[in-house]
Amino acid sequence: MGDLTTIGFDADDTLWQNEQFFRMTEERFVALLGEHGEAAEISGRLLEAEKRNLGFYGFGIKGFVLSMVETAIEITRGQVPAAVIGEILAAGREMAAHPVETLPHVRDTLEALSGDYRLVLITKGDLFDQERKLAQSGLGDFFHAVEIVSDKKATTYERIFARHGDGAGRAMMVGNSLKSDILPALEAGSWAVHVPHELTWVLEHAEEPVGHGRYRTIPHLGPLRGLVTQLAR
Ligand SMILES: [Mg+2]
């Protein structure tokens, strides 16, 4: 581990809150359509629309808003009032304008690690929204590079850690999503540190790679610096 040179960080729900704004907006959406169906049914239909639309719009707020519009049309059998569509669009704009809330220990950890390691921000989602959040967070200077990608696969980590570091084998990925941050990074040959967030989108769930030699989990970013030091021994 002495040869670890590069640490990748996920952004949403690893450095700052994200999923909670999606949940709050979904609750608002469900309430808007309350007279047309049960909450569980509306949420289920919305999730189906999101899954279908990932291949068209990718991850992020814009795709979520379009999926809400599509679901509203479906649930009301084409009768959704324009005023409701207007409310959905407004809810999406509010998400995109919401102040960034960084998670505990983020700034101290990045500051401490940035002296000894090359830090790379690796996130998916809307380009414009991610750039906004990074700028507002004030964390940009700790990163050697920022990669906003359409999806996170093993090849994504191989490419990024080759470009900005010394290859995936000498890199570590830190994030809240087992599916996007942990499993593909391990597959690429990197270390992977899972920092679970109480709210994680159902499409980001995956089996925990218990027992994998390069997998670790910590409850929040606080212990990361100590973990890196300990692994380096
Ligand atoms: Mg995340």
Side-chain angles (χ1 to χ4, degrees):
M1 185 75 173
D3 58 358
L4 177 80
T5 61
T6 313
I7 305 177
F9 282 87
D10 168 55
D12 288 340
D13 297 315
T14 298
L15 302 184
W16 51 64
Q17 300 285 10
N18 177 67
E19 181 65 18
Q20 67 175 35
F21 305 123
F22 281 80
R23 300 284 176 102
M24 282 161 48
T25 307
E26 182 174 329
E27 279 171 27
R28 197 168 149 186
F29 172 71
V30 166
L32 269 175
L33 293 179
E35 62 188 82
H36 299 279
E38 296 297 319
E41 197 216 335
I42 298 172
S43 283
R45 298 282 284 271
L46 175 59
L47 183 64
E48 288 306 311
E50 288 183 85
K51 274 192 221 171
R52 280 198 306 272
N53 287 334
L54 275 181
F56 296 101
Y57 311 130
F59 297 89
I61 294 173
K62 282 185 284 189
F64 180 58
V65 168
L66 291 171
S67 295
M68 284 192 289
V69 170
E70 199 173 303
T71 306
I73 294 169
E74 270 179 25
I75 295 263
T76 63
R77 298 172 199 275
Q79 301 301 306
V80 59
V84 171
I85 302 286
E87 293 234 23
I88 293 169
L89 297 175
R93 281 194 302 273
E94 273 175 41
M95 287 177 78
H98 199 283
V100 173
E101 294 176 22
T102 49
L103 289 161
H105 310 290
V106 166
R107 171 168 285 274
D108 289 352
T109 301
L110 294 179
E111 189 166 19
L113 289 171
S114 64
D116 296 323
Y117 300 92
R118 233 167 295 151
L119 307 188
V120 184
L121 185 76
I122 306 171
T123 179
K124 54 190 167 69
D126 292 323
L127 175 65
F128 190 77
D129 186 46
Q130 295 295 358
E131 286 178 340
R132 167 191 81 92
K133 289 190 282 194
L134 180 61
Q136 269 187 22
S137 73
L139 301 172
D141 287 347
F142 297 127
F143 291 101
H144 172 82
V146 175
E147 289 275 355
I148 299 169
V149 296
S150 58
D151 205 356
K152 291 171 164 178
K153 301 193 158 107
T155 49
T156 316
Y157 292 111
E158 284 166 13
R159 174 177 60 78
I160 290 174
F161 289 134
R163 181 188 295 169
H164 300 296
D166 302 296
R170 298 179 66 180
M172 170 189 278
M173 182 63 194
V174 180
N176 73 299
S177 168
L178 287 165
K179 182 165 184 279
S180 297
D181 304 317
I182 303 305
L183 298 183
L186 289 173
E187 192 186 332
S190 303
W191 292 80
V193 178
H194 186 218
V195 191
H197 187 285
E198 55 179 353
L199 297 177
T200 294
W201 191 29
V202 56
L203 297 188
E204 296 292 347
H205 290 183
E207 188 96 11
E208 192 180 2
V210 177
H212 191 294
R214 288 198 154 201
Y215 170 69
R216 297 291 186 280
T217 182
I218 50 178
H220 50 77
L221 277 186
L224 183 64
R225 194 182 170 195
L227 176 65
V228 168
T229 310
Q230 180 200 332
L231 290 173
R233 265 192 214 134

PDB file of all heavy atoms in Angstrom, residues 15 20 54-55 59 62 66 68 114-115 119 134 141 149-150 152 162 173 188 210 221 228:
ATOM      1  N   LEU A  15     -19.440  13.550  -0.437  1.00  0.00           N
ATOM      2  CA  LEU A  15     -18.917  14.854   0.000  1.00  0.00           C
ATOM      3  C   LEU A  15     -20.043  15.790   0.428  1.00  0.00           C
ATOM      4  O   LEU A  15     -19.854  16.645   1.286  1.00  0.00           O
ATOM      5  CB  LEU A  15     -18.121  15.522  -1.129  1.00  0.00           C
ATOM      6  CG  LEU A  15     -16.929  14.749  -1.698  1.00  0.00           C
ATOM      7  CD1 LEU A  15     -16.212  15.604  -2.741  1.00  0.00           C
ATOM      8  CD2 LEU A  15     -15.967  14.325  -0.601  1.00  0.00           C
ATOM      9  N   GLN A  20     -31.274  13.201  -0.473  1.00  0.00           N
ATOM     10  CA  GLN A  20     -32.391  13.732   0.319  1.00  0.00           C
ATOM     11  C   GLN A  20     -33.211  14.736  -0.475  1.00  0.00           C
ATOM     12  O   GLN A  20     -34.423  14.834  -0.289  1.00  0.00           O
ATOM     13  CB  GLN A  20     -31.895  14.334   1.634  1.00  0.00           C
ATOM     14  CG  GLN A  20     -31.056  15.579   1.493  1.00  0.00           C
ATOM     15  CD  GLN A  20     -30.714  16.177   2.880  1.00  0.00           C
ATOM     16  OE1 GLN A  20     -30.515  15.465   3.843  1.00  0.00           O
ATOM     17  NE2 GLN A  20     -30.652  17.482   2.961  1.00  0.00           N
ATOM     18  N   LEU A  54     -32.826   6.222 -17.986  1.00  0.00           N
ATOM     19  CA  LEU A  54     -31.376   6.352 -17.755  1.00  0.00           C
ATOM     20  C   LEU A  54     -30.601   6.285 -19.068  1.00  0.00           C
ATOM     21  O   LEU A  54     -29.646   7.015 -19.271  1.00  0.00           O
ATOM     22  CB  LEU A  54     -30.870   5.250 -16.819  1.00  0.00           C
ATOM     23  CG  LEU A  54     -30.985   5.513 -15.321  1.00  0.00           C
ATOM     24  CD1 LEU A  54     -30.424   4.323 -14.551  1.00  0.00           C
ATOM     25  CD2 LEU A  54     -30.259   6.795 -14.934  1.00  0.00           C
ATOM     26  N   GLY A  55     -31.064   5.399 -19.952  1.00  0.00           N
ATOM     27  CA  GLY A  55     -30.387   5.224 -21.233  1.00  0.00           C
ATOM     28  C   GLY A  55     -30.568   6.391 -22.187  1.00  0.00           C
ATOM     29  O   GLY A  55     -29.839   6.524 -23.174  1.00  0.00           O
ATOM     30  N   PHE A  59     -27.800  10.193 -15.606  1.00  0.00           N
ATOM     31  CA  PHE A  59     -28.115  10.443 -14.200  1.00  0.00           C
ATOM     32  C   PHE A  59     -28.257  11.945 -13.947  1.00  0.00           C
ATOM     33  O   PHE A  59     -27.625  12.745 -14.608  1.00  0.00           O
ATOM     34  CB  PHE A  59     -26.993   9.898 -13.305  1.00  0.00           C
ATOM     35  CG  PHE A  59     -26.837   8.403 -13.398  1.00  0.00           C
ATOM     36  CD1 PHE A  59     -26.003   7.836 -14.358  1.00  0.00           C
ATOM     37  CD2 PHE A  59     -27.540   7.571 -12.557  1.00  0.00           C
ATOM     38  CE1 PHE A  59     -25.864   6.459 -14.455  1.00  0.00           C
ATOM     39  CE2 PHE A  59     -27.409   6.189 -12.641  1.00  0.00           C
ATOM     40  CZ  PHE A  59     -26.569   5.639 -13.597  1.00  0.00           C
ATOM     41  N   LYS A  62     -32.119  16.628 -14.379  1.00  0.00           N
ATOM     42  CA  LYS A  62     -32.929  16.813 -15.599  1.00  0.00           C
ATOM     43  C   LYS A  62     -33.684  15.537 -15.982  1.00  0.00           C
ATOM     44  O   LYS A  62     -34.876  15.579 -16.307  1.00  0.00           O
ATOM     45  CB  LYS A  62     -32.048  17.298 -16.756  1.00  0.00           C
ATOM     46  CG  LYS A  62     -31.745  18.788 -16.646  1.00  0.00           C
ATOM     47  CD  LYS A  62     -30.984  19.296 -17.850  1.00  0.00           C
ATOM     48  CE  LYS A  62     -29.534  18.870 -17.767  1.00  0.00           C
ATOM     49  NZ  LYS A  62     -28.680  19.510 -18.793  1.00  0.00           N
ATOM     50  N   LEU A  66     -37.830  14.961 -16.099  1.00  0.00           N
ATOM     51  CA  LEU A  66     -38.533  14.425 -17.273  1.00  0.00           C
ATOM     52  C   LEU A  66     -39.274  13.132 -16.914  1.00  0.00           C
ATOM     53  O   LEU A  66     -40.378  12.885 -17.410  1.00  0.00           O
ATOM     54  CB  LEU A  66     -37.541  14.196 -18.415  1.00  0.00           C
ATOM     55  CG  LEU A  66     -36.987  15.498 -19.011  1.00  0.00           C
ATOM     56  CD1 LEU A  66     -35.842  15.205 -19.989  1.00  0.00           C
ATOM     57  CD2 LEU A  66     -38.069  16.305 -19.715  1.00  0.00           C
ATOM     58  N   MET A  68     -40.560  12.484 -13.974  1.00  0.00           N
ATOM     59  CA  MET A  68     -41.754  12.887 -13.212  1.00  0.00           C
ATOM     60  C   MET A  68     -42.855  13.335 -14.172  1.00  0.00           C
ATOM     61  O   MET A  68     -44.033  12.988 -13.988  1.00  0.00           O
ATOM     62  CB  MET A  68     -41.415  14.010 -12.217  1.00  0.00           C
ATOM     63  CG  MET A  68     -40.664  13.539 -10.989  1.00  0.00           C
ATOM     64  SD  MET A  68     -40.575  14.781  -9.657  1.00  0.00           S
ATOM     65  CE  MET A  68     -39.448  15.978 -10.353  1.00  0.00           C
ATOM     66  N   SER A 114      -4.753  15.818   0.762  1.00  0.00           N
ATOM     67  CA  SER A 114      -4.303  16.450  -0.490  1.00  0.00           C
ATOM     68  C   SER A 114      -2.816  16.780  -0.452  1.00  0.00           C
ATOM     69  O   SER A 114      -2.201  16.961  -1.494  1.00  0.00           O
ATOM     70  CB  SER A 114      -5.137  17.697  -0.799  1.00  0.00           C
ATOM     71  OG  SER A 114      -4.933  18.677   0.197  1.00  0.00           O
ATOM     72  N   GLY A 115      -2.224  16.829   0.751  1.00  0.00           N
ATOM     73  CA  GLY A 115      -0.782  17.071   0.843  1.00  0.00           C
ATOM     74  C   GLY A 115       0.036  15.877   0.377  1.00  0.00           C
ATOM     75  O   GLY A 115       1.124  16.041  -0.186  1.00  0.00           O
ATOM     76  N   LEU A 119      -5.673  13.772  -5.342  1.00  0.00           N
ATOM     77  CA  LEU A 119      -7.107  13.531  -5.155  1.00  0.00           C
ATOM     78  C   LEU A 119      -7.840  13.839  -6.455  1.00  0.00           C
ATOM     79  O   LEU A 119      -7.585  14.857  -7.108  1.00  0.00           O
ATOM     80  CB  LEU A 119      -7.659  14.417  -4.035  1.00  0.00           C
ATOM     81  CG  LEU A 119      -6.931  14.351  -2.678  1.00  0.00           C
ATOM     82  CD1 LEU A 119      -7.706  15.131  -1.620  1.00  0.00           C
ATOM     83  CD2 LEU A 119      -6.687  12.915  -2.228  1.00  0.00           C
ATOM     84  N   LEU A 134     -19.683  21.771  -7.024  1.00  0.00           N
ATOM     85  CA  LEU A 134     -18.263  21.798  -6.675  1.00  0.00           C
ATOM     86  C   LEU A 134     -17.812  23.232  -6.394  1.00  0.00           C
ATOM     87  O   LEU A 134     -17.116  23.497  -5.406  1.00  0.00           O
ATOM     88  CB  LEU A 134     -17.428  21.185  -7.809  1.00  0.00           C
ATOM     89  CG  LEU A 134     -15.924  21.156  -7.544  1.00  0.00           C
ATOM     90  CD1 LEU A 134     -15.595  20.317  -6.307  1.00  0.00           C
ATOM     91  CD2 LEU A 134     -15.161  20.626  -8.755  1.00  0.00           C
ATOM     92  N   ASP A 141     -10.200  23.285  -4.783  1.00  0.00           N
ATOM     93  CA  ASP A 141      -8.741  23.408  -4.750  1.00  0.00           C
ATOM     94  C   ASP A 141      -8.037  22.169  -4.202  1.00  0.00           C
ATOM     95  O   ASP A 141      -6.838  22.010  -4.397  1.00  0.00           O
ATOM     96  CB  ASP A 141      -8.330  24.626  -3.914  1.00  0.00           C
ATOM     97  CG  ASP A 141      -8.617  25.924  -4.655  1.00  0.00           C
ATOM     98  OD1 ASP A 141      -8.880  25.852  -5.884  1.00  0.00           O
ATOM     99  OD2 ASP A 141      -8.600  26.994  -4.018  1.00  0.00           O
ATOM    100  N   VAL A 149     -18.533  12.060 -15.231  1.00  0.00           N
ATOM    101  CA  VAL A 149     -18.680  10.979 -16.214  1.00  0.00           C
ATOM    102  C   VAL A 149     -20.152  10.573 -16.350  1.00  0.00           C
ATOM    103  O   VAL A 149     -20.971  10.858 -15.475  1.00  0.00           O
ATOM    104  CB  VAL A 149     -17.835   9.746 -15.795  1.00  0.00           C
ATOM    105  CG1 VAL A 149     -16.352  10.098 -15.799  1.00  0.00           C
ATOM    106  CG2 VAL A 149     -18.238   9.230 -14.408  1.00  0.00           C
ATOM    107  N   SER A 150     -20.482   9.892 -17.443  1.00  0.00           N
ATOM    108  CA  SER A 150     -21.876   9.495 -17.657  1.00  0.00           C
ATOM    109  C   SER A 150     -22.213   8.233 -16.877  1.00  0.00           C
ATOM    110  O   SER A 150     -23.355   8.004 -16.509  1.00  0.00           O
ATOM    111  CB  SER A 150     -22.154   9.304 -19.144  1.00  0.00           C
ATOM    112  OG  SER A 150     -21.277   8.335 -19.666  1.00  0.00           O
ATOM    113  N   LYS A 152     -20.196   4.915 -14.161  1.00  0.00           N
ATOM    114  CA  LYS A 152     -18.986   4.469 -13.471  1.00  0.00           C
ATOM    115  C   LYS A 152     -18.852   2.965 -13.614  1.00  0.00           C
ATOM    116  O   LYS A 152     -19.576   2.205 -12.972  1.00  0.00           O
ATOM    117  CB  LYS A 152     -19.055   4.858 -11.992  1.00  0.00           C
ATOM    118  CG  LYS A 152     -18.948   6.358 -11.728  1.00  0.00           C
ATOM    119  CD  LYS A 152     -19.240   6.648 -10.272  1.00  0.00           C
ATOM    120  CE  LYS A 152     -18.780   8.026  -9.843  1.00  0.00           C
ATOM    121  NZ  LYS A 152     -19.123   8.287  -8.425  1.00  0.00           N
ATOM    122  N   ALA A 162      -5.405   5.966 -14.773  1.00  0.00           N
ATOM    123  CA  ALA A 162      -4.237   5.963 -15.654  1.00  0.00           C
ATOM    124  C   ALA A 162      -3.903   7.402 -16.058  1.00  0.00           C
ATOM    125  O   ALA A 162      -2.737   7.794 -16.122  1.00  0.00           O
ATOM    126  CB  ALA A 162      -4.515   5.118 -16.896  1.00  0.00           C
ATOM    127  N   MET A 173     -10.650   4.220  -4.353  1.00  0.00           N
ATOM    128  CA  MET A 173     -11.894   4.951  -4.614  1.00  0.00           C
ATOM    129  C   MET A 173     -12.720   4.985  -3.338  1.00  0.00           C
ATOM    130  O   MET A 173     -12.859   3.978  -2.641  1.00  0.00           O
ATOM    131  CB  MET A 173     -12.680   4.274  -5.755  1.00  0.00           C
ATOM    132  CG  MET A 173     -13.963   4.992  -6.137  1.00  0.00           C
ATOM    133  SD  MET A 173     -13.649   6.662  -6.780  1.00  0.00           S
ATOM    134  CE  MET A 173     -15.316   7.360  -6.724  1.00  0.00           C
ATOM    135  N   ALA A 188     -11.438  -2.945 -11.194  1.00  0.00           N
ATOM    136  CA  ALA A 188     -10.317  -2.315 -11.903  1.00  0.00           C
ATOM    137  C   ALA A 188      -8.982  -2.575 -11.205  1.00  0.00           C
ATOM    138  O   ALA A 188      -7.921  -2.282 -11.756  1.00  0.00           O
ATOM    139  CB  ALA A 188     -10.567  -0.807 -12.016  1.00  0.00           C
ATOM    140  N   VAL A 210     -17.912  -8.369   0.931  1.00  0.00           N
ATOM    141  CA  VAL A 210     -17.299  -8.751   2.213  1.00  0.00           C
ATOM    142  C   VAL A 210     -16.141  -9.715   1.959  1.00  0.00           C
ATOM    143  O   VAL A 210     -16.266 -10.650   1.183  1.00  0.00           O
ATOM    144  CB  VAL A 210     -18.357  -9.426   3.124  1.00  0.00           C
ATOM    145  CG1 VAL A 210     -17.727  -9.896   4.418  1.00  0.00           C
ATOM    146  CG2 VAL A 210     -19.497  -8.460   3.406  1.00  0.00           C
ATOM    147  N   LEU A 221     -16.439  10.000   6.802  1.00  0.00           N
ATOM    148  CA  LEU A 221     -15.098  10.259   6.271  1.00  0.00           C
ATOM    149  C   LEU A 221     -14.041  10.486   7.354  1.00  0.00           C
ATOM    150  O   LEU A 221     -12.842  10.459   7.065  1.00  0.00           O
ATOM    151  CB  LEU A 221     -15.134  11.460   5.320  1.00  0.00           C
ATOM    152  CG  LEU A 221     -15.566  11.176   3.881  1.00  0.00           C
ATOM    153  CD1 LEU A 221     -15.399  12.418   3.029  1.00  0.00           C
ATOM    154  CD2 LEU A 221     -14.771  10.022   3.271  1.00  0.00           C
ATOM    155  N   VAL A 228      -6.000   5.187   5.657  1.00  0.00           N
ATOM    156  CA  VAL A 228      -4.977   5.264   4.600  1.00  0.00           C
ATOM    157  C   VAL A 228      -3.593   5.085   5.207  1.00  0.00           C
ATOM    158  O   VAL A 228      -2.765   4.320   4.677  1.00  0.00           O
ATOM    159  CB  VAL A 228      -5.094   6.617   3.841  1.00  0.00           C
ATOM    160  CG1 VAL A 228      -3.881   6.842   2.955  1.00  0.00           C
ATOM    161  CG2 VAL A 228      -6.375   6.652   3.011  1.00  0.00           C
TER     162      VAL A 228
END
